[in-house]
Amino acid sequence: MADVISIGRSHGPSAGNHVDAYMEYRNLVGDLHGERMLPEAEYEKLRKRAADGSKRLYVNYRNSMGLDCRAVGPASKCFCGHRYREHDWLQYDTKRLSCKMRGCPCACFNLIPVRGSADMRCTKCKHSYTEHHAGNKKCGKSCKCPGFASSVSCSCTRSYDEHATVIETKEDRLKAGRIVDEG
């Protein structure tokens, strides 16, 4: 709370609004444009599209028993190493949330359940997930690992290999009897 008060006192009463605007921009646009801002008209169009609840995709990390263990948000990390906000989350019709970062082979967002700078190692070859190919998950080192696997478990007690990243529309969730938000 002291940090919020000091921002208001040292930078004026609108400083908090600027921080909020920055965070909203970063969550919608991601790190794609580096230092170049989107033109205002293009950004407003993106904001309106993001606010359209009828085109919302629900992205969850679901275990093999059907439990949604984690909801994916803008800062969630993909197996390719990029955040959800850097994937094409506006692909409502195809549900193919490919990575927008230049040169990334990721065809669809796939949550890697790590936090911060934590790492996840493959149980087959002991190499980091970052050393495995984002597309086919094969190890990039000269080992014979057929693809990334991990025994790291979630709070549901199931391993990484017993989870999948599931992308659904509101209609998909309602048909399956799952909870949706208002809007």
Side-chain angles (χ1 to χ4, degrees), residues 26-32 55-60 71-92 95-101 108-112 165-168:
R26 186 146 189 254
N27 283 337
L28 291 175
V29 177
D31 296 326
L32 301 175
K55 297 285 187 181
R56 175 175 179 205
L57 288 175
Y58 293 80
V59 184
N60 290 282
V72 169
S76 297
K77 194 177 265 190
C78 179
F79 193 86
C80 72
H82 298 115
R83 304 288 178 177
Y84 179 72
R85 64 180 166 240
E86 288 141 6
H87 286 71
D88 200 0
W89 48 266
L90 292 173
Q91 291 303 317
Y92 180 81
K95 299 184 210 170
R96 298 295 299 174
L97 310 179
S98 60
C99 189
K100 296 187 286 185
M101 299 301 277
C108 190
F109 183 86
N110 187 4
L111 181 82
I112 189 80
T165 302
V166 180
I167 302 165
E168 303 167 296

Side-chain angles (χ1 to χ4, degrees), residues 1-39:
M1 188 67 169
D3 291 339
V4 174
I5 293 170
S6 77
I7 288 173
R9 287 185 185 154
S10 63
H11 299 297
S14 66
N17 294 340
H18 294 296
V19 172
D20 290 345
Y22 168 77
M23 290 307 295
E24 179 185 77
Y25 180 89
R26 186 146 189 254
N27 283 337
L28 291 175
V29 177
D31 296 326
L32 301 175
H33 294 279
E35 302 206 12
R36 195 187 93 218
M37 298 280 287
L38 281 179

Side-chain angles (χ1 to χ4, degrees), residues 129-145:
Y129 79 93
T130 61
E131 296 173 303
H132 287 73
H133 190 270
N136 60 21
K137 294 190 177 180
K138 290 186 178 179
C139 189
K141 298 285 185 179
S142 57
C143 68
K144 300 200 186 311
C145 174

Side-chain angles (χ1 to χ4, degrees), residues 105-179:
C106 177
C108 190
F109 183 86
N110 187 4
L111 181 82
I112 189 80
V114 295
R115 295 182 190 269
S117 61
D119 194 11
M120 187 180 253
R121 297 203 168 267
C122 179
T123 53
K124 296 176 183 175
C125 68
K126 308 298 184 229
H127 293 125
S128 169
Y129 79 93
T130 61
E131 296 173 303
H132 287 73
H133 190 270
N136 60 21
K137 294 190 177 180
K138 290 186 178 179
C139 189
K141 298 285 185 179
S142 57
C143 68
K144 300 200 186 311
C145 174
F148 185 82
S150 178
S151 60
V152 170
S153 63
C154 169
S155 60
C156 73
T157 71
R158 301 227 175 247
S159 73
Y160 168 80
D161 296 336
E162 296 176 88
H163 285 79
T165 302
V166 180
I167 302 165
E168 303 167 296
T169 63
K170 185 175 186 175
E171 293 77 29
D172 295 336
R173 288 186 67 83
L174 289 171
K175 200 180 299 181
R178 296 190 178 276
I179 297 171

